[in-house]
Amino acid sequence: MEIYVVQPGDNLFGIAQAFGVPMSQIMEDNRLPNPSLLVVGQTLVIRFPEEVYTVQPGDTLVSVALQSGLSLRQLYRNNPILEGQPTLYPGQTLVLRYQGSPGPSVTVNSYAYPFINQSLLQRTLPFLTYLTPFTYGIQEDGELVSLDDEPLIAMGRAVGTAALMHLSTLTESGNFSNDLANLVLNDLSLQEVLIDNVLTTLQTKGYSGLDVDFEFVFPQDALPYAAFIRRLRDRLNPLGYPVIVALAPKTSSDQPGLLYEGHSYRDLGEAANRVFLMTYEWGYTYGPPMAVAPLPNVRAVVEYALT
């Protein structure tokens, strides 16, 4: 695989000829709706097929996978043109293997609202390790706000994508409640009820782990928050469920601001099995034009996290 940066005067036909791959494949691999609309500086993924298969009458995706020794998941990944759908037609060309050894393994997670576009989700799922339906809220008595997550979990399971349960203090108005977090983090009996409900949901829905996302936590609740994550880990880990905690994008331990002061990287890092750095939304819908996740900003957060 190569990453090609579009130069002045380039066109897709010429790029395809230069690399010796079909123009249609470059279009599919890069989701290009119009081959004539390239932008200087744009990056294109160029992949080199090593083994292909021409679909015969009577073939199904399952039979091709079995015959070629590939999983359905890998067959979908090798052929974005399928868009996660099992439909084949005679004469269609499928890529079974690409040149070059596989790259490093990465874990990929994606949040999804229950109302996500189904075709978008279908074609994305084969590339995800985890799918995280968004979100289970918390009530003041420790009960959970229900979520229509079963269709998403089922779609993921069909292609081998596991599901993570998402627990947050997001209210119906769309804001994270620091008052609700304060209530939960300082009432151990309430925590017991909440943890019991989380465990029941994990087991009945078939989730593979828990992602906790409490934002705008009061500064005085930083240590109680870490203690709560530790209690979750102690209850859930013996049953095979990892606990992940989402962290605001800090660049120093004493960074001011309500978004940051309630998240102690050291304490939460010690309490959780994994952490998720929320290195995004510098650019957003109502802000000035800029990248959602500028590389210098992301790097600064990662470098602090590594300390």
Side-chain angles (χ1 to χ4, degrees):
M1 184 184 80
E2 291 193 25
I3 304 294
Y4 178 74
V5 180
V6 175
Q7 303 297 313
D10 275 344
N11 60 66
L12 198 59
F13 178 76
I15 294 172
Q17 279 197 318
F19 284 102
V21 298
M23 190 169 74
S24 59
Q25 182 185 322
I26 299 178
M27 291 178 62
E28 284 296 332
D29 285 343
N30 294 275
R31 306 298 299 178
L32 298 177
N34 188 332
S36 64
L37 296 180
L38 296 182
V39 179
V40 173
Q42 179 179 3
T43 56
L44 298 175
V45 172
I46 311 294
R47 298 198 293 175
F48 304 93
E50 183 176 77
E51 182 181 357
V52 298
Y53 176 77
T54 302
V55 176
Q56 304 299 312
D59 277 343
T60 66
L61 204 63
V62 172
S63 68
V64 174
L66 289 173
Q67 178 181 324
S68 59
L70 296 173
S71 66
L72 280 175
R73 186 175 177 84
Q74 190 60 52
L75 204 51
Y76 278 129
R77 288 177 175 178
N78 288 353
N79 297 276
I81 194 172
L82 296 174
E83 297 195 335
Q85 301 291 338
T87 305
L88 300 179
Y89 58 85
Q92 184 177 12
T93 299
L94 299 177
V95 178
L96 302 182
R97 291 171 180 82
Y98 285 92
Q99 295 178 17
S101 56
S105 176
V106 297
T107 298
V108 182
N109 177 48
S110 176
Y111 290 135
Y113 288 110
F115 52 81
I116 186 173
N117 180 285
Q118 296 289 295
S119 62
L120 171 62
L121 179 60
Q122 191 74 47
R123 68 173 180 255
T124 306
L125 280 170
F127 300 94
L128 299 178
T129 313
Y130 296 110
L131 175 69
T132 304
F134 191 90
T135 174
Y136 276 93
I138 303 169
Q139 300 183 45
E140 292 186 357
D141 59 359
E143 297 296 320
L144 296 173
V145 178
S146 63
L147 179 67
D148 183 21
D149 53 357
E150 293 180 359
L152 273 65
I153 296 171
M155 289 177 66
R157 187 181 296 119
V159 294
T161 300
L164 292 177
M165 178 181 175
H166 189 263
L167 181 70
S168 76
T169 54
L170 196 72
T171 65
E172 291 183 355
S173 63
N175 299 311
F176 287 90
S177 171
N178 41 27
D179 289 322
L180 181 57
N182 176 263
L183 177 65
V184 170
L185 299 178
N186 292 283
D187 187 331
L188 296 184
S189 61
L190 181 60
Q191 286 184 27
E192 284 300 316
V193 174
L194 176 58
I195 293 173
D196 285 342
N197 286 322
V198 166
L199 180 55
T200 298
T201 303
L202 288 168
Q203 293 173 328
T204 58
K205 294 293 185 72
Y207 278 109
S208 297
L210 177 68
D211 176 16
V212 183
D213 183 11
F214 285 17
E215 300 186 27
F216 299 98
V217 175
F218 290 130
Q220 64 267 28
D221 287 334
L223 290 180
Y225 187 24
F228 172 60
I229 296 299
R230 191 174 296 107
R231 292 188 75 190
L232 279 166
R233 188 193 65 192
D234 290 345
R235 282 284 303 277
L236 300 182
N237 280 186
L239 299 173
Y241 299 111
V243 176
I244 303 164
V245 62
L247 300 180
K250 297 178 67 168
T251 55
S252 66
S253 60
D254 58 352
Q255 188 167 342
L258 188 56
L259 179 63
Y260 312 104
E261 293 172 5
H263 284 190
S264 167
Y265 272 31
R266 174 178 292 278
D267 294 319
L268 290 170
E270 290 175 348
N273 297 110
R274 300 177 187 171
V275 297
F276 168 53
L277 303 179
M278 296 189 286
T279 54
Y280 51 83
E281 285 194 325
W282 278 281
Y284 63 105
T285 301
Y286 303 105
M290 67 180 298
V292 171
L295 290 179
N297 302 50
V298 174
R299 182 179 295 276
V301 174
V302 173
E303 288 178 346
Y304 165 63
L306 290 174
T307 69

